[in-house]
Amino acid sequence: KLGIFISDVSGHGVPAALITTMLKTYIKTGGEKLKEPHVFLNYIKNNIQCQLSGYYLTAIYAIYDYANMKLYYSRAGHNPFYLVRNHTIIEPVIGGGIICTMNLPPYTSHSIDLESGDFLLFYTDGLVEAMDENRIMFEEKMLQLLKRETDENMIELLYNSLKAHHGSENFRDDICIITLELK
């Protein structure tokens, strides 16, 4: 099995860095909770929400089960990941709210059957919200690229297309891209 965790903390600077450090600690100490996505996200929420002081975080935790070709995941307000199958984009949208100081309902796990040749894209909002000089966000270009291309250099293709769209490598927000291609 392969675990994939991606998150984004609101804000910038020292407060966001401290929240990220706490989050990293919960990942390292998650133990058995890491075996089930919703259990792990609820563990994070229950431990960190009282320490957020007006900030919030989003996250997705997914587990890819090689033997059963299944993806189990739980989502806490994070951008939905994309599943590309035969140049068609399938966007799972099931998920719970952001992790914040409010006491929201517990997170639940969901699953998707995967097939050989499937391509998964996990990302932070800095990717899709990067704008060109006309204030057009990158998301539509990214979706077109995903429909056309799915190869081993997808991160490089996405990043080069993003730089060309934005006009520079100086982005206003952080960008994280995680891909998984099933052979």
Side-chain angles (χ1 to χ4, degrees), residues 43-83:
Y43 165 70
I44 290 172
K45 178 182 87 162
N46 294 337
N47 282 286
I48 205 168
Q49 74 184 56
C50 65
Q51 302 174 54
L52 291 175
S53 301
Y55 290 84
Y56 65 89
L57 65 97
T58 64
I60 290 179
Y61 180 46
I63 298 172
Y64 172 54
D65 182 339
Y66 291 92
N68 297 312
M69 295 284 291
K70 252 184 156 33
L71 185 78
Y72 301 92
Y73 71 96
S74 189
R75 185 171 152 242
H78 198 80
N79 297 72
F81 60 89
Y82 288 103
L83 166 60

Side-chain angles (χ1 to χ4, degrees), residues 22-34 40 43:
M22 287 187 284
L23 184 56
K24 185 176 178 183
T25 300
Y26 294 126
I27 293 168
K28 287 187 169 193
T29 61
E32 291 292 313
K33 295 168 195 70
L34 289 164
F40 182 61
Y43 165 70

